[in-house]
Amino acid sequence: MRLRNIPGADDAILNSEYCIKNPEEQKGHWQDCFNKVQPLHIEIGMGKGRFIMDMAALHPDINYIGIERYSSVLLRALQKMEQNPLPNIKFICMDAADVAGVFAKDEVDRIYLNFSDPWPKDRHAKRRLTSTHFFEHYDHILAPDGRVMFKTDNRPLFDFSLEQVPEAGWTLENYTYDLHHSEYNEGNIMTEYEAKFSALGTPINRLVAYRTKK
Ligand code: SAM
């Protein structure tokens, strides 16, 4: 993602009612941030938030939290929220490496990873959000029957992820190398990157992973 440092982004986030400051203080109490107690789904690396906001509008019976590392990117989502507020979505500006400090054991029901940064160099493999390293974090926060759902246009990253799932002790529920022409496409909501890449004819890969027992 092309990044510009947008002046005032940090302040806008600090002052936004949609963005949770000091998220570690909410650990174990995320439902208090919402009007209704209902399943909690998070997207890690949400970018400008198109996917998670569309999901929140479509599924008022689910609470959503969007996580984005960069304030200048998250700002775009906050601006959209101000135009079209939704009661079942909040945002956090943080690095995903800290998720286990922010969510309690089993507190999250689903984790979406969409078009995560590929970190192509081998020495950076641990930074990929689908590495065994990150699956350990997800293991702490995801409910026993929870799912990790990952979409990407990047085939090398997808192949790496298909290997990491069993290596992390998780199970592949299903996967496809061409989501939009597969049986799994029904109900699919496109992310910003997904719309861009599929318009160029790039197939979209998707996998769903879960733990067999916990
Ligand atoms: N999910 C969006 C989509 O599909 O349109 C954005 C995809 S963009 C390629 C990846 C986003 O993930 C960027 O906004 C980046 O800042 C964010 N990101 C990458 N690594 C992250 C991390 N460790 N913690 C939080 N956000 C991260």
Side-chain angles (χ1 to χ4, degrees), residues 27 128 133 138 142 169 176:
K27 186 173 179 173
R128 297 174 194 150
H133 177 69
Y138 308 150
L142 195 66
T176 171

Side-chain angles (χ1 to χ4, degrees), residues 43 45 68-70 94-96 114-115 117 191-193:
E43 184 188 8
E68 171 53 48
R69 179 168 46 175
Y70 293 115
M94 63 174 259
D95 192 309
N114 292 321
F115 298 80
D117 294 346
T191 79
E192 201 131 19
Y193 271 62

Side-chain angles (χ1 to χ4, degrees), residues 1 3 43-51 67-70 73 94-97 113-119 127 129 134 191-194:
M1 172 159 303
L3 271 181
E43 184 188 8
I44 299 180
M46 62 160 207
K48 297 178 196 163
R50 164 176 166 169
F51 169 82
I67 295 174
E68 171 53 48
R69 179 168 46 175
Y70 293 115
V73 180
M94 63 174 259
D95 192 309
L113 307 170
N114 292 321
F115 298 80
S116 309
D117 294 346
W119 294 105
R127 297 185 193 178
L129 294 182
F134 270 94
T191 79
E192 201 131 19
Y193 271 62
E194 184 172 356

Side-chain angles (χ1 to χ4, degrees), residues 61-213:
D61 52 340
I62 292 170
N63 290 330
Y64 289 90
I65 295 180
I67 295 174
E68 171 53 48
R69 179 168 46 175
Y70 293 115
S71 59
S72 48
V73 180
L74 179 51
L75 179 65
R76 300 297 181 215
L78 294 181
Q79 288 166 340
K80 280 190 247 169
M81 267 295 270
E82 267 146 32
Q83 284 161 12
N84 186 19
L86 294 163
N88 58 331
I89 183 166
K90 299 287 176 200
F91 302 110
I92 312 175
C93 193
M94 63 174 259
D95 192 309
D98 301 327
V99 280
V102 161
F103 297 99
K105 186 174 177 312
D106 302 346
E107 195 169 18
V108 174
D109 295 288
R110 186 173 294 176
I111 299 173
Y112 290 106
L113 307 170
N114 292 321
F115 298 80
S116 309
D117 294 346
W119 294 105
K121 291 185 180 143
D122 283 349
R123 68 189 155 89
H124 291 148
K126 263 176 86 171
R127 297 185 193 178
R128 297 174 194 150
L129 294 182
T130 50
S131 65
T132 54
H133 177 69
F134 270 94
F135 272 104
E136 269 178 46
H137 295 322
Y138 308 150
D139 193 37
H140 288 298
I141 66 172
L142 195 66
D145 58 349
R147 298 287 186 272
V148 171
M149 303 180 80
F150 170 56
K151 292 195 275 192
T152 182
D153 62 302
N154 186 309
R155 184 61 189 266
L157 177 63
F158 191 65
D159 289 340
F160 166 85
S161 309
L162 287 175
E163 287 171 9
Q164 294 286 285
V165 168
E167 208 172 308
W170 292 52
T171 304
L172 283 164
E173 184 167 68
N174 59 62
Y175 64 92
T176 171
Y177 298 109
D178 191 356
L179 174 63
H180 294 178
H181 298 101
S182 78
E183 61 188 297
Y184 306 116
N185 195 45
E186 199 184 322
N188 179 53
I189 294 297
M190 286 216 261
T191 79
E192 201 131 19
Y193 271 62
E194 184 172 356
K196 197 167 78 179
F197 286 116
S198 59
L200 297 172
T202 312
I204 305 302
N205 308 279
R206 193 194 75 166
L207 68 79
V208 181
Y210 67 103
R211 281 101 101 225
T212 5
K213 54 177 185 281

